[in-house]
Amino acid sequence: MVVYSLVLLTGFLTALPNLFTPAQLADWPSFLPTRQVALGLDLRGGSHLVLEIDTAAMIAERLEITRDDVTTALRKAHIDVNSIQISNDQVIVSLSDTKDHDGALDALEYLANAQVETPRHGSTAEFVITAPSDNSIHIALSEQGIRNRVDASAQQSLEIIRSRIDQIGVSEPTIQRIGSDRVLVQLPGVQDPSQVRKLLGSTAKLGFYMLADRSRTDKRDSSVLTLQDKDGQSYHLHRTPALSGDHLTDAHAGFDPQSHQPVVNFRFDTAGAAKFADITRANVGKPFAIVLDNEVLSAPVIREAITGGSGQISGSFTVGETVTLSALLRAGSLPAPMTVIEERTVGPDLGADAIEMGLYTGLIGLGLVTGLMFFLYGRWGMIANLALGLNVMLTFGALSLMGATLTLPGIAGIVLGIGLAVDANVLINERIREETKRGLSAFMALDSGFKRAYATIVDSNITTLIATALLFEFGSGPVRGFAITMGLGIVISMFTAVAVVRVIMTEIVWRTRMKKLVIEPLWRFMPEKTSISFMRARFLGIGMSLLLSAISIGLFFKPGLDYGVDFKGGIQVEVASSSANDGNSPLDLGALRQELSTLGLGDVSLQDIGKDGHILIRVERQPGGEQAQTAAVETVKKAVQSIDPAADFERTEVVGPKVSGELAQSGVSAVIFASLAMLCYIWWRFEWPFAVGAIVTLILDVTKTIGFFAIMGLDFNLTAIAALLTLIGYSVNDKVVVYDRMRENLRLYRKMPMREIIDMSINQSLARCLFTSLTTLFAMVPMAIWGGSAVESFAVPMVFGVVIATTSSIYIAAPILLFLDTWRQKQRQKHARLASETDIDDNPLIKASS
């Protein structure tokens, strides 16, 4: 009792700060918990970007440096070469004379001895040097060398990106590594990520290059680099910069005092100032180029020696460009190019709407569930409602302790958890009611009811937790938030239902000296005891299920699923036209469709998503990799603003082909592994016929749900995968309860035919199945109706799935179990008959030998 009280008190104190305003929280005692649940970007608005190191570009850059080093080394060794080229991710040296082969290997021995440190393998060679012929040498980066550079680049990039974000003053940014070569950046309040994308995606490698005279240079000379400025003019530069931007100590935006044009003023450190002075002193009258990320910013002529250690970069910049450029230069250059492979933006208004929607639908769902429990179980139902309130409180307390982020799917997880948390209370109350009917006293009925319900509660919740764990493992972002809140709700419900409710009910029975524990509904809407022969309809049930699943498979191929950008990549933009705010005539969809069709972006679709003046624009995945996706966003936005200059962009999603492929693979893997894990668990806890029945039924349930997605035209995205996995867990959960009662009855009535045991077990657990389905539906229906497009792919199919899962437990899983038992009985009879015939044939032989 003391332990339970401490758990509840801790949960209350950790959850309470979530109700405070910042001012109230500042006055809250410092020795008490103060952490609040952070809101995700989909609730408070902002930008979410995932950047990936361009490994190919990083390797190419390293090979460029290696080629220069090789050229220098061979020149010092006086070895003539025909060419030194980069091809197939390796430096290829072609020697003029085969006699120089050994000498060239000796000159390049320093590369063969170059080592890198790796966490698992210690020191390992950075390069692999091979000699396929007498006149050629190939130099390539080793696999461990590449991994080492990727890891080092990711860590360095993380710090530089953090520094760049600090330069633009974003409050409470989230910057962290994900995987070996990616960085996640979440920026609350940043609605237009275009400038941020430029800020983060640029390597910001600045260099000062002397121009080369191409006419006097050997055509085979690899030391000459040709670059262009933004106007397309070409410049021939010496490949090695005369001075790198690493010596910069400061850079800030300003205006040229004479031309009044935006410029970037910079200053070198002491070593850089001295070197810059030497360069300008030795090259008066000659042009030199200022290059940023392989683009010539400007190429002024050196008029005189610059000895002050400061300079100016000009080049027809806008004010915004000089601000971004100066921030880049102050933060330093990235060690390798990074590409934005995923981008999601949510406007503040949409985030506020999501919070309001989550609050209202959650409260409505909670009200419906608590009302149903009171209706079904009277005052004992109020104890279950108290446990439900404690469940929600402890869930928020746990989220606060974990420092978790609450997302819109996370709210959906809490709402669904409200429905599922009641499941344990329904099981307990129904069991106690049965034990009371058997004539047990109040204490005996209470004790027996909890004991008999406990195993079923554990089995049913473990199956749901399996799906939740795999959803967390294979999901990403907000979907993981759903898995966390769902998992917490299930685990906490086992504590509140089994521990807290039992203590309260025991206390009431003891204090009132209750002789008989009567749990009755306020109004009975189903008979006290049913004796329906469900197995009479087994052929009809399975036949209808197979027919619907076959139709669903057909719908999967035609018209097919409406895959969201999560799985097929591309762009999705939610636009709030000016009419959404001022009540004027809505945006002309025809004119907008015509404008978008002329942009050359391929298939573009427009959809009115139900809210006044809100339009969803979808653009197919663009050819050209990840950068092409992000570049197309600006084109779409400009086209919309040309039709409606006052339009707001409330939500933007950009998913590159690489990410979409990974998400699709992860989603399919999660569904497959969840099904296999549950098969193994049921096989372990029951027998193989039960496992086969559950999995076959599960396949039929999932196919029908996929058909529902196709016929309803719902987005099939990560949220849809969350719905499928939750449905898998719920479906098996429902079947485990029926199976558990069948297993119990098989032990009690060993001589009763299997068909009668199945019918009896379903009738005994019918109330629980119906009541749990009702509580889940009551929790989800408000979200399905008023939740909006953001959770539509989850809530609507879940409502459908709950109905399918409940009916399939009775009319599909149970008949399959009966068919398998009949088949096993026939096999046993066959084996017994064969054994009997063998004994008859063998007996005369035995007698004869005796």
Side-chain angles (χ1 to χ4, degrees):
M1 186 71 178
V2 174
V3 174
Y4 296 162
S5 300
L6 287 175
V7 171
L8 294 175
L9 179 62
T10 302
F12 174 75
L13 291 177
T14 53
L16 191 59
N18 292 290
L19 302 177
F20 295 159
T21 63
Q24 292 171 329
L25 197 60
D27 297 332
W28 185 246
S30 58
F31 61 87
L32 292 176
T34 58
R35 179 181 288 178
Q36 293 179 312
V37 177
L39 297 180
L41 293 184
D42 54 353
L43 295 178
R44 59 176 170 169
S47 296
H48 163 110
L49 301 98
V50 177
L51 298 96
E52 182 180 63
I53 292 175
D54 190 339
T55 304
M58 185 196 70
I59 293 173
E61 182 177 351
R62 178 58 180 151
L63 292 177
E64 287 278 359
I65 296 172
T66 303
R67 178 175 65 177
D68 293 342
D69 292 344
V70 168
T71 301
T72 303
L74 294 179
R75 281 179 179 173
K76 287 182 178 180
H78 305 291
I79 295 175
D80 293 331
V81 297
N82 290 327
S83 64
I84 302 177
Q85 298 179 342
I86 297 175
S87 178
N88 297 324
D89 289 338
Q90 56 187 349
V91 177
I92 301 176
V93 180
S94 178
L95 301 173
S96 300
D97 192 339
T98 56
K99 295 179 181 179
D100 293 330
H101 185 267
D102 292 339
L105 288 177
D106 291 338
L108 300 177
E109 186 178 1
Y110 76 98
L111 289 176
N113 295 331
Q115 299 285 309
V116 293
E117 293 293 329
T118 61
R120 293 184 180 179
H121 305 282
S123 296
T124 185
E126 182 180 8
F127 294 96
V128 176
I129 300 178
T130 57
S133 63
D134 291 340
N135 68 333
S136 67
I137 299 173
H138 293 186
I139 305 163
L141 285 168
S142 68
E143 183 177 344
Q144 291 298 330
I146 294 174
R147 288 180 182 175
N148 179 271
R149 289 196 167 273
V150 168
D151 182 72
S153 296
Q155 190 58 40
Q156 187 179 351
S157 298
L158 184 72
E159 300 305 322
I160 292 172
I161 288 174
R162 183 174 287 114
S163 177
R164 291 183 182 183
I165 295 299
D166 290 341
Q167 297 287 340
I168 59 175
V170 177
S171 61
E172 299 182 11
T174 299
I175 305 167
Q176 62 188 37
R177 280 184 68 174
I178 50 175
S180 61
D181 59 349
R182 293 180 182 176
V183 175
L184 167 68
V185 179
Q186 292 185 333
L187 308 173
V190 176
Q191 308 308 321
D192 183 9
S194 58
Q195 285 297 105
V196 177
R197 196 187 312 122
K198 293 176 183 177
L199 187 70
L200 301 181
S202 172
T203 54
K205 291 197 173 183
L206 183 70
F208 300 86
Y209 293 75
M210 299 307 300
L211 270 66
D213 187 350
R214 188 65 172 172
S215 63
R216 298 183 180 181
T217 307
D218 187 350
K219 301 295 183 183
R220 295 175 300 176
D221 189 356
S222 60
S223 64
V224 175
L225 181 68
T226 302
L227 298 177
Q228 295 181 333
D229 61 15
K230 62 182 179 181
D231 296 324
Q233 182 177 349
S234 296
Y235 297 86
H236 304 301
L237 316 174
H238 291 290
R239 182 175 296 276
T240 304
L243 182 62
S244 71
D246 296 338
H247 292 284
L248 286 179
T249 59
D250 184 39
H252 60 274
F255 293 91
D256 186 279
Q258 296 180 353
S259 65
H260 304 291
Q261 294 296 315
V263 296
V264 174
N265 299 303
F266 62 87
R267 178 174 293 277
F268 290 112
D269 57 19
T270 303
K275 193 170 184 179
F276 193 59
D278 291 341
I279 293 170
T280 54
R281 189 180 296 112
N283 293 282
V284 173
K286 296 180 181 179
F288 79 116
I290 303 173
V291 178
L292 178 71
D293 290 346
N294 293 323
E295 180 181 326
V296 178
L297 298 179
S298 60
V301 175
I302 301 173
R303 301 298 181 188
E304 58 183 357
I306 303 175
T307 58
S310 61
Q312 184 183 91
I313 302 174
S314 60
S316 302
F317 299 125
T318 64
V319 174
E321 288 172 338
T322 59
V323 172
T324 301
L325 177 55
S326 60
L328 287 169
L329 298 180
R330 286 195 302 272
S333 61
L334 291 172
M338 300 198 77
T339 304
V340 178
I341 60 174
E342 182 182 354
E343 175 189 321
R344 302 178 192 269
T345 304
V346 176
D349 293 338
L350 191 61
D353 290 345
I355 295 175
E356 184 178 6
M357 175 279 302
L359 181 63
Y360 287 159
T361 56
L363 289 175
I364 293 172
L366 181 62
L368 290 174
V369 171
T370 54
L372 179 63
M373 290 301 292
F374 177 69
F375 178 80
L376 292 176
Y377 302 115
R379 59 173 179 164
W380 303 104
M382 295 308 296
I383 298 175
N385 290 337
L386 172 63
L388 190 59
L390 294 176
N391 179 280
V392 175
M393 179 194 73
L394 291 174
T395 299
F396 274 95
L399 290 173
S400 298
L401 281 176
M402 295 167 58
T405 299
L406 184 64
T407 61
L408 186 55
I411 293 177
I414 294 175
V415 172
L416 179 60
I418 289 172
L420 294 180
V422 182
D423 178 43
N425 292 287
V426 171
L427 274 170
I428 291 167
N429 285 329
E430 290 298 321
R431 272 295 189 176
I432 293 174
R433 182 184 286 177
E434 289 182 23
E435 299 304 311
T436 300
K437 291 175 184 176
R438 290 174 54 201
L440 297 182
S441 64
F443 269 114
M444 292 294 292
L446 185 66
D447 183 66
S448 179
F450 270 93
K451 284 181 178 178
R452 290 178 179 274
Y454 183 73
T456 306
I457 292 170
V458 171
D459 282 337
S460 60
N461 282 332
I462 284 179
T463 56
T464 309
L465 285 173
I466 289 173
T468 305
L470 288 168
L471 185 60
F472 179 82
E473 176 65 25
F474 291 97
S476 63
V479 176
R480 279 193 164 189
F482 167 80
I484 290 173
T485 56
M486 180 80 172
L488 284 174
I490 292 171
V491 173
I492 293 171
S493 72
M494 294 175 69
F495 167 73
T496 56
V498 177
V500 177
V501 171
R502 182 168 188 169
V503 170
I504 296 174
M505 293 183 74
T506 302
E507 189 71 13
I508 292 175
V509 171
W510 180 77
R511 287 187 178 277
T512 59
R513 300 293 191 271
M514 192 176 293
K515 300 297 183 182
K516 187 176 183 181
L517 181 53
V518 179
I519 300 178
E520 294 295 336
L522 296 182
W523 177 73
R524 188 176 300 280
F525 67 93
M526 64 180 297
E528 179 73 17
K529 184 178 180 181
T530 59
S531 56
I532 304 171
S533 181
F534 292 100
M535 290 303 95
R536 284 187 177 181
R538 61 187 183 278
F539 295 107
L540 177 62
I542 290 181
M544 287 296 296
S545 179
L546 290 173
L547 176 62
L548 290 175
S549 291
I551 294 173
S552 298
I553 293 172
L555 291 171
F556 172 77
F557 290 102
K558 189 175 183 180
L561 297 175
D562 187 8
Y563 293 103
V565 294
D566 290 334
F567 291 154
K568 67 178 180 181
I571 301 166
Q572 187 166 285
V573 181
E574 183 176 338
V575 180
S577 65
S578 56
S579 63
N581 299 321
D582 57 25
N584 294 329
S585 58
L587 181 65
D588 187 349
L589 287 181
L592 181 58
R593 184 176 287 107
Q594 177 64 30
E595 179 69 21
L596 293 174
S597 65
T598 62
L599 300 178
L601 298 177
D603 184 23
V604 180
S605 64
L606 278 70
Q607 178 185 354
D608 190 331
I609 58 175
K611 293 185 287 186
D612 292 338
H614 286 249
I615 300 166
L616 192 66
I617 302 173
R618 293 179 180 173
V619 181
E620 70 176 23
R621 188 170 66 189
Q622 301 296 301
E626 272 71 13
Q627 291 181 340
Q629 320 306 316
T630 54
V633 175
E634 299 304 317
T635 305
V636 171
K637 289 184 176 180
K638 289 178 182 178
V640 172
Q641 289 175 334
S642 68
I643 302 295
D644 186 355
D648 290 329
F649 301 97
E650 294 207 335
R651 179 162 54 101
T652 304
E653 296 180 61
V654 182
V655 179
K658 186 171 185 178
V659 172
S660 62
E662 292 174 356
L663 293 177
Q665 182 178 357
S666 297
V668 173
S669 300
V671 172
I672 293 173
F673 287 141
S675 302
L676 292 176
M678 291 180 193
L679 169 66
C680 295
Y681 181 78
I682 295 176
W683 201 318
W684 173 63
R685 288 290 290 151
F686 297 88
E687 293 182 39
W688 70 264
F690 291 90
V692 173
I695 289 301
V696 172
T697 308
L698 189 60
I699 292 172
L700 295 174
D701 288 350
V702 170
T703 53
K704 286 192 278 288
T705 305
I706 290 176
F708 181 77
F709 271 102
I711 201 169
M712 294 293 293
L714 297 172
D715 261 4
F716 196 79
N717 48 26
L718 280 178
T719 310
I721 290 293
L724 274 180
L725 283 173
T726 307
L727 174 60
I728 288 172
Y730 182 85
S731 177
V732 177
N733 176 308
D734 202 67
K735 287 151 188 60
V736 163
V737 173
V738 179
Y739 281 172
D740 192 74
R741 183 57 67 95
M742 290 179 186
R743 180 175 58 180
E744 181 181 333
N745 287 329
L746 282 169
R747 293 169 180 168
L748 294 174
Y749 309 99
R750 296 181 180 274
K751 295 184 178 181
M752 182 180 291
M754 186 66 172
R755 175 172 171 174
E756 293 180 20
I757 287 180
I758 290 176
D759 277 336
M760 179 175 64
S761 301
I762 294 175
N763 280 285
Q764 289 173 344
S765 55
L766 183 62
R768 178 268 167 194
C769 291
L770 293 178
F771 295 162
T772 302
S773 298
L774 280 175
T775 56
T776 308
L777 285 174
F778 280 7
M780 293 305 301
V781 164
M783 183 169 284
I785 297 174
W786 298 293
S789 59
V791 293
E792 180 183 57
S793 297
F794 174 82
V796 175
M798 272 303 300
V799 171
F800 172 81
V802 167
V803 176
I804 290 295
T806 304
T807 55
S808 67
S809 298
I810 298 173
Y811 291 108
I812 303 173
I816 291 174
L817 190 62
L818 179 59
F819 293 151
L820 289 174
D821 182 76
T822 303
W823 176 81
R824 284 209 304 180
Q825 293 294 337
K826 289 181 179 179
Q827 291 298 310
R828 287 172 182 170
Q829 292 173 4
K830 179 180 178 181
H831 289 310
R833 187 174 64 253
L834 290 174
S836 176
E837 291 174 356
T838 302
D839 289 342
I840 292 172
D841 292 339
D842 287 348
N843 283 337
L845 295 177
I846 295 172
K847 289 179 181 179
S849 63
S850 63

